[in-house]
Structure formats: C-alpha cells, structure tokens
Amino acid sequence: MQAIARPLARAAPRALSRAAALSTWSAVPAGPPDAILGVTEAFKRDQDPRKINLGVGAYRDGNGKPFVLPSVKKAEEIISQSGDKEYLPITGLPEFTRRAALLAYGAESAPLKGNAVAVTQSISGTGALRIGGAFLARFYPHSKTIYLPTPTWGNHTPIFRDSGLEVKGYRYYDKKTVGLDFEGLKADLQSMPEKSIVLLHACAHNPTGVDPTQAQWIEISNIIKEKSLFPFFDMAYQGFASGSTSKDAFAVRHFVSEGHQVALCQSFAKNMGLYGERVGAFSLTTADPEEKARVESQLKIVIRPMYSNPPLHGARIASTILGSPELYSEWEGEVKGMAERIISMRDRLYDNLVAQKTPGEWGHIKSQIGMFSFTGLTTPQTKALAEKAHIYMTADGRISMAGLNAHNIDYFSESVSRAVKGDI
Ligand code: PLA
C-alpha cells in the first residue's frame, strides 16, 4: 500500500507545478490560515470523537449544538407571510436601522431625539467596521491614524489598514495582573496626538474578556474629551457581557451623554445568533438633521461600489424582534440565558482547574466578561492540546466559553490541567 502511495504522492505536485509555471497566478504566494477561522478548519479535519472547538466565538447550547433563538424562529414565521425580495436601499432597511440605533443609544439619547444619528445597515460587525474605516479615511479631517487596544480582535488591524488608515496600538491588558492596564491605558491616551481616532470595545473586550469598570469608563471619557480624541466604538457583544443590553451599552451612552461625537459599529451575530445572516449597523452621531443627511449621502457613496446594498432577510428578522414588544422581551430573556450559561461554565471550569491542582492562579476565568476567556495558556500548550487532546483554540490561548458544556467540560479541564503540568 505504502509503496504505491509514496510515488503517487510525489508525482502529483510535479505535474501540478509544470501547469502552475504557465499560470498567470504562479507568483501568488500561499497565505497563512486565518488566526480564528483557520481553527475551525483544523477542527473540521479532526476525526476524533472527543474533539472540541473553542476557536471562533459562536454560541453553542448545552449540548454543543448551534442555537437558533426561539424569538428568531418566531420572527422568521412572521416575515415568511409577507415581504418581497426587492433590493433594499443602499443604507438598508429603514425600520431596522432606526431600531438598531435605539437599542444602542437608548431612548434618552439627545442625538437620536434630535434626528442627528446617521446610520446604515452593514454586513454584520465586520462590514460596519469597514464602512466606518473607509468613511473616516475619506472624511475625518484631523487624522488618518486609529489606535487599537493591545491586544485586540485579530481582524481589526487588516480592516482598518485596508480601509486606508494607519494603525497604532495603546496599552490595554496587563499580563501580570491578568486585568486592565489602566495606568498604561490612560498614559497612552494622554500621549496620543490630539484628535487621533481611538477604537474602544464597548463591552466584552475580545480577546481578553477584560472591560473597564463604569468609573474607569468615565475617566476614559474625560481624557478623550480633554485630548479631543475621536471615539470609535465596536459593539459586537451587546447583551453578552452582563446579560442586559442596556447595561452593556453603558460606555456608548455615557460618551454620547457627555457630548462626544462617536462612531459605532453594531453586530447582531452574537446577541441574536444571526451569525451567517450578516446583520449589523454603522452609525455616526452628528450635529443636526441637516448634517446627518449630508453624512448619510456620503455613506451611500462609500457603500454603493462596495456591495451596492445589504442583505434583506436577517435585517427583517432583527427588525421584527426589535419592533415587537413581545418578541423583544422574549429575546432579552434569551440573551440573558446565553450569558448565564457562559457564566456557569466559567464557574465550573474554575472549580475543576482548582480541584485538579492546576499550577497557577485561575481567578481570571471567573472575572473575565463575555464570550471569551483569555486563559493564559501558551502557544506551545495550545498546540499540544490540539495535537494530543483534539481541543482547538486560538494560539493566544483564547477560548470561546460557549463551546463548553456539561458533556465536555471535565475532559477539557483535565486536558488543560495536564497541558499546564507539562504531561500531555
Ligand atoms: N468585532 C469584534 C470585537 C469581534 O469579536 C467580532 C467577531 C466582530 C467585530 C465581527 O463579527 P461579525 O462580522 O460576525 O458581526 N469575532 C468572532 C468571529 C466572534 C470572527 O473572528 O469573525 C471571533 O471569534 O473573534
């Protein structure tokens, strides 16, 4: 068997490379797999029944299955009775964007009340970031530099670079305390050139799970005001941090109430479980309705050559939920349920690691917020866990807590414990 397989395996690439030499694309170098989505690819290739995917941040139910929210199913039933398949306007479904902005900014928001929020539907949170990056690169008059927290979601840097902005970092996470480097963060905000753009994770910071407290947000807002920095919020997890959508909107609402003009990216991937439907929104608070209209006219000019207009189905689902008092309160309960299941897994993981006398301090597993835990596992340990235990996570040691459940958590914690002790 092997004697035959080997020459065949060698012959195939030679034949390919002759054809490849003549190809237009012969000089295209192979790129590395995506740091997050590449983990799912590796997981899918693994045939071991014990395998666990804690890579991408996708909610799973108590049986490890993808979860379609009951409120989403009901909304889908409602919309299946009506509605055509016409193109949406360039900035999307108007009732969706109105309701999305209300969810984020709150009914008391002055710019919302004054009809001064420019908003467009987007291809989920990623699309919102990309529209925002492109709009700021074209129209933000003061700077072309955006500062990102270190570390941040891996896709932020390429999104903003490809949008035409220069990307720099500010201190955020302290490895020693496994918490916020608040002094470093403040010092870095203070030393940025005035009017620079600053990206802030509105809640449930990815990948660290470390958020500023409300008192710290107030200080951050004050420094940003003193330095005339421009706050650009990424809110991909509204509801996932605390279980309450309004509590998780604290930072955004506080900044707006303090008179900051903000940019805001919203995603409904996680909080409505609409991952593949690609539902999101990008908004900017402006001075008045006339300025809002000018800004929206330019958002359309940014979007039209990118993808013309956004997809319909997911926006209809989100809009139906946000617009129906019954579905809305049902959905709020579901968000809370997802957040609580994640928190219960944090408790269980912590208890297991301690019971198994795993070297190190594991309190951060419980204190971190949102979808992820930044475990502190090293890249070699994550590699060993994938190769020997069929457990997949990103190389920085981030795990998606939602991938854990009563059936796999014991196997997971035992394996982590062994990896940390060096016997895996
Ligand atoms: N912003 C942050 C901070 C995110 O973590 C993510 C998703 C997004 C925006 C964009 O999500 P969306 O386009 O699907 O709305 N981060 C995931 C998925 C959950 C990913 O990497 O694409 C993650 O595993 O980090």
Side-chain angles (χ1 to χ4, degrees):
M1 239 342 245
Q2 278 195 350
I4 300 168
R6 264 198 230 105
L8 272 179
R10 255 186 257 122
R14 257 210 310 274
L16 266 179
S17 70
R18 233 179 278 122
L22 300 170
S23 166
T24 312
W25 316 117
S26 59
V28 176
D34 184 80
I36 296 173
L37 302 182
V39 174
T40 305
E41 291 166 21
F43 169 80
K44 284 188 175 158
R45 284 194 297 271
D46 192 326
Q47 297 301 317
D48 194 280
R50 291 165 299 174
K51 67 179 181 173
I52 308 176
N53 185 10
L54 307 177
V56 70
Y59 187 79
R60 294 286 178 270
D61 68 13
N63 290 314
K65 295 275 177 291
F67 180 51
V68 182
L69 275 56
S71 59
V72 166
K73 285 190 182 150
K74 287 183 189 164
E76 280 188 313
E77 260 170 46
I78 294 169
I79 60 182
S80 72
Q81 323 277 317
S82 63
D84 51 46
K85 298 287 183 194
E86 293 290 288
Y87 290 128
L88 281 175
I90 298 172
T91 51
L93 190 67
E95 56 266 35
F96 163 71
T97 48
R98 202 177 57 245
R99 289 165 181 163
L102 184 62
L103 178 73
Y105 293 100
E108 296 312 309
S109 148
L112 261 194
K113 281 182 171 167
N115 187 25
V117 178
V119 56
T120 177
Q121 192 179 320
S122 62
I123 314 278
S124 211
T126 305
L129 289 157
R130 186 62 195 264
I131 293 167
F135 184 87
L136 265 68
R138 192 171 290 178
F139 291 107
Y140 185 64
H142 307 297
S143 171
K144 295 284 173 251
T145 304
I146 187 164
Y147 286 83
L148 310 180
T150 313
T152 193
W153 178 45
N155 208 14
H156 276 147
T157 297
I159 288 173
F160 291 115
R161 275 212 189 114
D162 285 5
S163 306
L165 292 171
E166 192 193 349
V167 174
K168 290 188 176 162
Y170 64 88
R171 278 175 284 174
Y172 187 85
Y173 178 73
D174 185 348
K175 267 196 189 135
K176 289 195 292 300
T177 63
V178 205
L180 186 68
D181 179 3
F182 193 46
E183 294 310 313
L185 184 159
K186 286 192 289 186
D188 284 359
L189 290 177
Q190 296 281 10
S191 62
M192 283 174 197
E194 292 215 337
K195 300 187 174 173
S196 304
I197 307 162
V198 188
L199 181 103
L200 301 163
H201 294 228
C203 64
H205 183 273
N206 178 10
T208 66
V210 173
D211 282 359
T213 63
Q214 292 197 352
Q216 287 170 332
W217 273 124
I218 291 168
E219 275 191 68
I220 293 169
S221 161
N222 291 341
I223 300 172
I224 287 185
K225 193 179 269 179
E226 271 164 39
K227 297 276 306 183
S228 304
L229 302 171
F230 184 80
F232 187 118
F233 281 101
D234 182 1
M235 184 151 69
Y237 299 93
Q238 189 180 3
F240 254 77
S242 67
S244 150
T245 52
S246 53
K247 228 187 237 167
D248 288 359
F250 172 82
V252 169
R253 293 180 189 179
H254 174 73
F255 271 64
V256 172
S257 74
E258 285 292 295
H260 289 282
Q261 289 199 319
V262 304
L264 173 68
C265 299
Q266 289 173 260
S267 167
F268 288 85
K270 271 68 75 169
N271 59 12
M272 283 195 183
L274 292 175
Y275 305 91
E277 296 287 0
R278 314 305 290 143
V279 190
F282 174 73
S283 56
L284 288 161
T285 57
T286 71
D288 54 40
E290 183 274 330
E291 186 176 285
K292 170 202 146 160
R294 273 189 282 119
V295 168
E296 277 187 1
S297 73
Q298 291 295 347
L299 284 171
K300 287 181 197 165
I301 292 167
V302 168
I303 292 165
R304 172 74 166 140
M306 276 194 201
Y307 56 84
S308 191
N309 48 70
L312 183 55
H313 188 66
R316 274 192 182 146
I317 296 172
S319 179
T320 303
I321 294 173
L322 295 174
S324 143
E326 300 87 68
L327 287 182
Y328 187 93
S329 67
E330 184 172 342
W331 169 64
E332 277 192 309
E334 291 159 0
V335 175
K336 193 155 178 285
M338 290 191 284
E340 280 170 357
R341 198 186 81 71
I342 290 173
I343 291 167
S344 75
M345 286 299 120
R346 289 185 185 280
D347 291 344
R348 179 112 179 241
L349 178 57
Y350 172 82
D351 291 346
N352 278 1
L353 290 174
V354 171
Q356 283 147 359
K357 301 204 167 27
T358 315
E361 216 295 296
W362 296 95
H364 58 279
I365 301 277
K366 286 205 287 190
S367 61
Q368 290 169 350
I369 289 165
M371 193 130 203
F372 301 106
S373 188
F374 209 42
T375 58
L377 291 168
T378 63
T379 302
Q381 287 167 343
T382 64
K383 210 163 161 249
L385 282 164
E387 284 167 5
K388 308 272 172 52
H390 314 277
I391 292 170
Y392 293 85
M393 65 186 75
T394 53
D396 58 4
R398 185 194 84 167
I399 55 172
S400 174
M401 289 303 302
L404 293 175
N405 57 58
H407 309 293
N408 64 16
I409 192 152
D410 291 337
Y411 174 66
F412 175 71
S413 20
E414 274 157 36
S415 307
V416 167
S417 202
R418 281 173 49 216
V420 174
K421 290 169 189 160
D423 52 285
I424 199 166

